[in-house]
Amino acid sequence: MIGPYVLPDDVFDALAAGAGGRPAVLLLLRARRSRNLLLLRRALDGPCGRAVEPAADLLAGVERVAPEAARPVIDGPAFGTWAARTLRDCPAHHRGGCAGRDLAALAVLAAVRAARPARVTVPVREGRLRLPGLGTVTGLGETPEALVVVEAPAGAEGAPGTSAGSCRVRVLTAAGERVLPRDPSRPGHGWQPVAVLDARHRGLTLRLPLETAAPELPALETASAGPAAWQDLLRQAWELLVDNHPRRAEELAAGLNGIVPLPAPARGVASATSRHAFGTVLTSWPADPERLALTLLHEFQHSKLSALTDLVTLYESGGRPRLYAPWRPDPRPPGGLLQGIYAHLGDLAFWQERSGSRHGPAQADAAWRLAQTRAHVERGLTEAASHVRLTALGTRFLERLARTVRDGDREGTGAGGGSGGERLARAVARVQAGDEAVWRLRWAAADDAGTERLAALWRAGRPAGPLPAEDVRAATGAVAGPGPEFGRWAARQRGAERARPAREAADAVLAAPHRAQGWAELAAAAAEEDRPGADVLRARTELVRDLCVRLTARRPATPPGTAPPRPPDPLALAAWLTDPAAEDGQKTGVSMSQNARSPLAKTSATG
């Protein structure tokens, strides 16, 4: 199962374009399986080896007689996350609580599927014995572990067509014995099975465990949205995907291996992917099939890129460590930025189709989401091309990705032509400019000494010269969005013909320079009116704000009988900061210079 992998050029380019197809996904799946086995070998050779060995021997025995029973465990939702934690963070292996012991819980599923007799000791936590892919035994009290005994009929081991129901599974603790239902997919006293969701449409089948028993992944009772509700929702989402995105549906059928239910957030849907669990989607209850379909597309993009970066290096260390991603409220590392760009290609394909097939208000909503998603990807590409140290393959990857965005833009699906499309594009641009300005006020800080130097040059009537260095702070803990005030302003833009006049927005900023919303409106208005300095107002908002506040606070005293001077105009300050008299090549390093290096502004090397 372990072997070298060669990634053909055409497969790499197909993945970079956003999809890749079933053959590419199968290659990534095989490569990830080899990686997981190598991690298992490392765990056996490390300090946790003695705790890992019994379950590893059981898995190896199953693989010899029934490889089709071992592979789903090695490929499954829990294996990669177990291996990563065991190798990276196992503080308890000297105290008897080693994470390596959890491999036994995964091996039980392989033994049951292969009808292989087994006796393994599995940890019990908080009175629960979790067996990934099978279910959870509850009510075990304070016992630290249980002996799981798999009994199979004579001659059943490894036989084709063997079912889980042919085994008898006993759970032994100091308090007594539990016997699982003969069919472990059925609930029983103290037994909560892992439901398997099944969706079929036009010859494509998707079978996904609703994984609630993996020790290394979040676990949630599914009472509020039980298996029957998930089954019905997945069936509808699958029909939507097969009918409208057949190639991507083939990818999902080949690569998805589980859904892990998450607690519902206060608003919207929470979803995620673990880079160690290829093909596993973590999501809260999506409520409607369209949202579930979009979530599956988006999160599987993350899985594909994580598996691809096991095989190739797209960027090197160095460059800016914290970057702007318009779809996130917090700064992102280079890898996180690339992941977000790639995941949004799934969203882009989804909204391209929806905006072309809907009518009325639903079509207008889809067109807005399509335009916003495209703008997000374009801005992310610009940020990556400017501040991530891309390898040659990384540059090629982004160029091919950018071509997908350009091709979709030329199709104009759902955006509408003429004035309607232009109005939509302007509205999206306003929201994006405002969002970036608010983000910079929140996370970026200009160098104090450099800002004081600029203030002195402004007072002296001299050119600004090179701008001072900036620092983007790291996020700690949970990060909320830009706030309800920005949300209300952004919502109004969908129906607005144009931005608030820049002159009016500048006066509002002077009246309340610490109000982030005012700077958002000013950045949006300056960009829409193509004002000098619009790039600085958007991409160095914190510098213009800090300079404006500093100059206002230290205005010279006014002689008696003389009108006080006006505070420095932020529009004039921004234009001064981009004055051609500044040293060539060191003015701002913001949007205009970024766009020159963006893959969106290039012609692909392959034409």
Side-chain angles (χ1 to χ4, degrees):
M1 297 171 80
I2 299 176
Y5 288 87
V6 176
L7 189 66
D9 285 346
D10 59 336
V11 173
F12 177 86
D13 289 336
L15 286 167
R22 177 181 169 85
V25 169
L26 291 176
L27 186 149
L28 295 177
L29 179 61
R30 292 192 300 271
R32 178 51 69 96
R33 184 182 304 146
S34 289
R35 175 184 182 271
N36 283 348
L37 289 171
L38 288 171
L39 293 177
L40 176 57
R41 180 70 265 171
R42 283 185 59 195
L44 283 166
D45 293 339
C48 303
R50 293 184 65 181
V52 173
E53 189 173 4
D57 288 343
L58 175 56
L59 268 178
V62 171
E63 201 278 331
R64 282 192 297 270
V65 299
E68 70 283 354
R71 285 172 187 161
V73 174
I74 298 165
D75 298 343
F79 193 96
T81 49
W82 163 82
R85 181 169 182 266
T86 301
L87 292 170
R88 180 192 68 245
D89 179 26
C90 184
H93 67 259
H94 292 302
R95 303 194 300 274
C98 176
R101 298 164 67 236
D102 286 321
L103 180 62
L106 281 65
V108 170
L109 175 62
V112 169
R113 285 183 170 173
R116 181 180 179 87
R119 296 172 65 90
V120 289
T121 300
V122 180
V124 174
R125 296 184 176 88
E126 299 178 349
R128 291 172 174 255
L129 173 70
R130 299 188 181 278
L131 301 174
L134 283 176
T136 302
V137 181
T138 62
L140 294 181
E142 298 182 0
T143 182
E145 61 187 23
L147 177 66
V148 179
V149 180
V150 179
E151 300 173 347
E157 181 178 358
T162 298
S163 69
S166 65
C167 294
R168 183 169 183 255
V169 181
R170 300 160 57 212
V171 177
L172 308 176
T173 68
E177 179 184 80
R178 296 275 191 92
V179 179
L180 303 193
R182 179 65 74 170
D183 180 357
S185 67
R186 294 183 176 275
H189 177 67
W191 173 246
Q192 298 172 351
V194 168
V196 177
L197 311 179
D198 191 307
R200 305 166 190 264
H201 187 58
R202 295 190 174 180
L204 274 181
T205 299
L206 190 66
R207 287 179 58 83
L208 300 176
L210 190 63
E211 185 57 83
T212 55
E216 301 293 332
L217 293 168
L220 179 71
E221 305 286 345
T222 57
S224 59
W230 279 98
Q231 172 65 54
D232 186 57
L233 198 67
L234 182 65
R235 177 187 57 77
Q236 296 176 67
W238 188 236
E239 291 177 1
L240 187 158
L241 288 167
V242 172
D243 287 343
N244 300 303
H245 305 276
R247 191 178 186 209
R248 289 181 181 269
E250 290 176 356
E251 288 188 359
L252 296 175
L256 279 183
N257 62 22
I259 292 177
V260 177
L262 296 177
R267 297 180 60 189
V269 175
S271 66
T273 306
S274 167
R275 74 172 311 275
H276 303 294
F278 179 85
T280 303
V281 174
L282 292 75
T283 179
S284 61
W285 174 246
D288 66 76
E290 181 177 90
R291 181 66 209 210
L292 178 57
L294 178 60
T295 298
L296 295 179
L297 287 177
H298 181 97
E299 298 301 339
F300 192 60
Q301 290 291 106
H302 283 306
S303 278
K304 288 193 296 181
L305 186 56
S306 293
L308 177 64
T309 52
D310 288 341
L311 303 175
V312 298
T313 301
L314 299 180
Y315 69 96
E316 300 170 348
S317 59
R320 291 190 185 178
R322 292 179 286 274
L323 303 169
Y324 172 66
W327 52 84
R328 290 281 297 237
D330 53 341
R332 302 300 292 150
L337 176 65
L338 296 181
Q339 278 282 356
I341 294 169
Y342 194 65
H344 275 79
L345 284 189
D347 301 36
L348 196 62
F350 184 84
W351 292 118
Q352 280 175 337
E353 186 282 325
R354 299 307 273 174
S355 62
S357 63
R358 291 177 149 202
H359 304 282
Q363 191 279 335
D365 181 69
W368 171 266
R369 293 178 186 276
L370 170 61
Q372 191 172 51
T373 301
R374 180 177 290 123
H376 283 172
V377 175
E378 290 173 351
R379 181 63 186 89
L381 284 167
T382 297
E383 186 82 349
S386 300
H387 302 306
V388 178
R389 294 185 60 184
L390 297 167
T391 62
L393 277 177
T395 299
R396 174 175 161 183
F397 185 84
L398 287 193
E399 287 177 349
R400 185 64 189 87
L401 194 156
R403 191 197 307 172
T404 297
V405 180
R406 289 196 303 269
D407 289 348
D409 193 28
R410 281 197 293 268
E411 291 175 11
T413 308
S419 60
E422 293 171 2
R423 176 176 170 176
L424 177 63
R426 287 198 307 271
V428 168
R430 285 196 295 271
V431 174
Q432 190 162 321
D435 178 80
E436 188 163 357
V438 170
W439 184 92
R440 293 203 64 84
L441 292 177
R442 185 177 190 183
W443 299 109
D447 174 68
D448 281 342
T451 307
E452 182 57 40
R453 176 187 61 81
L454 286 174
L457 291 171
W458 169 269
R459 295 187 193 102
R462 297 173 57 192
L467 299 192
E470 60 180 297
D471 176 52
V472 175
R473 296 183 292 272
T476 57
V479 177
E485 187 181 17
F486 180 84
R488 289 190 292 269
W489 173 80
R492 289 197 299 270
Q493 301 315 302
R494 294 181 64 168
E497 281 286 347
R498 58 183 61 86
R500 182 182 191 179
R503 180 68 269 154
E504 184 180 318
D507 290 341
V509 160
L510 288 175
H514 292 287
R515 180 173 171 261
Q517 184 57 46
W519 289 98
E521 294 188 27
L522 178 58
E528 188 158 286
E529 295 178 15
D530 197 22
R531 290 268 186 158
D535 290 332
V536 177
L537 278 168
R538 171 178 178 157
R540 290 300 300 270
T541 321
E542 79 291 347
L543 177 61
V544 184
R545 193 270 309 272
D546 291 356
L547 188 57
C548 186
V549 170
R550 191 178 298 255
L551 289 168
T552 301
R554 296 184 57 184
R555 280 182 288 170
T558 304
T562 305
R566 279 181 57 86
D569 178 11
L571 287 170
L573 276 177
W576 174 71
L577 291 170
T578 54
D579 192 286
E583 294 182 22
D584 185 38
Q586 298 190 49
K587 291 188 294 182
T588 63
V590 292
S591 297
M592 295 306 293
S593 59
Q594 287 174 358
N595 287 339
R597 294 192 296 272
S598 168
L600 290 165
K602 294 182 179 179
T603 300
S604 166
T606 57

